[in-house]
């Protein structure tokens, strides 16, 4: 028995070392640095009391949540469609939907400016139609657009893989019982895709929380955590505050993902 | 109650099916299914039996010109969700995100039946299929037999106009298959519902069907009661697909059929007969000093307890299959005399 335990510990050791070296120790160090500044441990409470920090925290997670929701809806619909309907050019289209993965955030930010900036396409079209120029590239809406754009590829491939495994007989059975297409979607397709939605949604959310390049390109009026951390770190040289914000960013993201997984966990297990 | 309303009469006229890739799954087919009867579509895979079932269900539309009639009403372009037919699949197709009770009540729930009524109907179905204890189980906690009971209960719960079963027992092991076959048989009898049952298993077809539709290459080879199909097969395909068929080749002269194994008196033999067919139960091994016109050598003997299955070499391409109940120990190479009952002889 004791031998067994020793062997188990030995086998877990490599994973434990990696986990400690690359996750636990840096996080602990970050946490300590966060409390080492002029403000001391008050840096952490400042995140919740200081308007700038709190609003950036809220808007970061709000834009990440909105991005995740929009991405899941768009990728869910198009992923299932692309899986079900094979047409000439299908493969080329799927490849095209995937290539934003290769773009750095700066390029995506630039694309948002081209589209919704002062000289952008949307601005020109709205001016021609209504006489007023619609410009939103430098706001949180522009950021949202960029994030959705680079989140779709990650999600759509996962959804397509899951859609392939859906049993068409389940849909036929539901229809034989009188289910309308809407019922089939609600009771068969979405529950079947749920595990894929959760894992793709988690990646999408975490990426949107931490994305920097796009925010940096559009920076004018945007106040999201990665930007605030960057400013604290480079411009104000307030390393302690930057560390405290980074620590909170990591912890809150982890918490949100953990809660989402547990909430969905029971139903995922039931879907067997 | 377990009533299914008045049973439904189904008619197919000129129903053919060509798939998008050009495969012709079904040649133009006319078929009338009477109200309340159980019809079995039987045939090897790819014979068009499942396609026919799916056309009746509303999961496929026949090629232009084909019509599906339910009690005389044209339903050809009505999708399955508006036809009110119950379906049972080989793969069960139970909803994994619902419990057993949730599955059975699903059809009623989406019809917006009141909760209390759904509950009552579900417990009635659970009791009928003897799965009351499983009501709150998840689907992945059930065995294959239990799953198929749930699938049957789910299909019947909505009181469908007809029950369509697509190889419902194929995924189960032999013993369970026998038990469930009996259960399905008594279920269909007690419901009095029109049922269409697709299978490639002739024993299932014989046991369940009021009538059997034997299909081959997208065509109907024969329609008839199980006894007719077995005793008076219309084509060689039917004769050989259902049960075991023995074959002797030779010629007829003056009411005597002569082949390599000897001769056989058959006064009613058609003039140009070159081949005769008969079932294993119509041939027996001669006893003691009985003299017979036909002789053969035992090629193999399998003692099965109540009988011995013999393979007898008679100089044909295939040895004859004989089921012998004689209390006798046969061994390889034994010379045996053979007697055939002329009433069982077929020429096709």
């Amino acid at each position: 028995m004791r031998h067994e335990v020793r062997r188990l510990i030995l086998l877990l050791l490599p994973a434990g070392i990696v986990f400690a070296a690359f996750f636990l120790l840096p996080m602990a160090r970050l946490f300590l640095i966060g409390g080492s500044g002029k403000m001391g441990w008050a840096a952490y409470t400042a995140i919740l009391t200081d308007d700038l920090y709190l609003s950036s925290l809220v808007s970061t997670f709000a834009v990440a949540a909105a991005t995740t929701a929009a991405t899941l809806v768009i990728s869910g619909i198009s992923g299932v469609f692309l899986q079900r309907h094979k047409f000439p050019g299908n493969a080329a289209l799927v490849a095209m939907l995937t290539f934003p993965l290769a773009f750095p955030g700066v390029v995506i930010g630039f694309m948002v400016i081209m589209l919704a900036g002062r000289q952008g396409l949307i601005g020109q079209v709205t001016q021609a139609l209504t006489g007023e120029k619609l410009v939103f590239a430098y706001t949180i809406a522009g950021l949202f657009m960029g994030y959705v754009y680079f989140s779709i590829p990650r999600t759509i491939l996962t959804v397509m893989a899951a859609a392939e495994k859906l049993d068409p007989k389940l849909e036929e059975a539901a229809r034989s019982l009188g289910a309308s297409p809407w019922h089939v979607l609600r009771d068969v397709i979405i529950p079947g895709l749920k595990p894929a939605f959760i894992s793709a949604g988690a990646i999408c959310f975490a990426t949107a929380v931490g994305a920097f390049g796009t925010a940096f390109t559009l920076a004018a009026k945007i106040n999201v955590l990665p930007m605030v951390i960057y400013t604290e770190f480079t411009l104000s040289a307030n390393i302690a505050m930057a560390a405290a914000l980074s620590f909170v960013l990591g912890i809150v993201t982890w918490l949100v993902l953990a809660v989402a997984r547990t909430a969905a966990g029971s139903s995922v297990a039931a879907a067997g | 109650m377990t009533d299914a309303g008045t049973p439904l009469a189904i008619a197919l006229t000129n129903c053919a099916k060509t798939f998008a890739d050009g495969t012709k799954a079904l040649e133009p087919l006319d078929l009338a299914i009477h109200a309340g009867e159980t019809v079995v579509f039987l045939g090897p895979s790819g014979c068009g039996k499942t396609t026919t079932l799916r056309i009746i269900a509303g999961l496929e539309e026949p090629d232009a010109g084909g019509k599906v009639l339910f009690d005389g009403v044209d339903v050809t372009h009505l999708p399955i969700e508006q036809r009110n037919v119950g379906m049972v699949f080989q793969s069960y197709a139970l909803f994994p995100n619902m419990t057993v009770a949730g599955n059975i009540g699903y059809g009623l729930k989406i019809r917006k039946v009141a909760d209390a009524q759904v509950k009552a109907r579900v417990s009635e179905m659970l009791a009928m299929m003897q799965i009351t204890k499983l009501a709150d189980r998840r689907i992945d906690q059930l065995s294959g037999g239990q799953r198929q009971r749930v699938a049957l209960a789910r299909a019947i719960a909505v009181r469908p106009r007809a029950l369509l079963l697509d190889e419902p027992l194929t995924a189960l092991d032999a013993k369970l298959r026998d038990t469930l076959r009996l259960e399905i048989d008594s279920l269909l009898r007690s419901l009095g519902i029109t049922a269409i049952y697709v299978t490639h298993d002739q024993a299932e077809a014989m046991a369940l069907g009021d009538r059997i539709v034997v299909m081959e290459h997208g065509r109907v080879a024969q329609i008839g009661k199980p006894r007719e199909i077995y005793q008076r097969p219309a084509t060689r395909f039917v004769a050989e697909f259902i049960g075991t068929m023995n074959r002797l080749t030779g010629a007829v002269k003056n009411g005597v059929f002569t082949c390599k194994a000897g001769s056989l008196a058959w006064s009613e033999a058609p003039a140009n007969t070159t081949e005769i067919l008969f079932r294993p139960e119509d041939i027996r091994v001669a006893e003691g000093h009985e003299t017979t016109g036909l002789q053969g050598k035992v090629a193999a003997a399998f003692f099965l307890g109540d009988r011995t299955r013999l393979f007898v070499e008679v100089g044909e391409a295939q040895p004859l299959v004989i089921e012998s109940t004689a209390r006798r120990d046969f061994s390889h190479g034994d010379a045996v005399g053979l007697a055939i009952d002329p009433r069982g002889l077929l020429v096709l």
Side-chain angles (χ1 to χ4, degrees), chain B residues 1 10 164 322:
Chain B
M1 249 317 293
I10 299 169
L164 311 177
I322 303 173

Side-chain angles (χ1 to χ4, degrees), chain B residues 19-70:
Chain B
F19 285 118
D21 62 356
T23 326
K24 201 140 176 75
L26 200 61
E27 302 290 336
L29 167 78
D30 292 289
L31 183 65
I33 295 163
H34 311 312
E37 78 171 333
T38 301
V39 169
V40 177
F41 293 166
L42 174 68
S45 59
C47 71
K49 56 191 193 298
T50 297
T51 305
T52 312
L53 186 82
R54 290 172 67 85
I55 288 175
I56 294 172
L59 289 167
E60 306 278 357
E61 270 193 36
D63 294 348
K67 265 190 184 174
V68 182
L69 305 174
F70 279 13

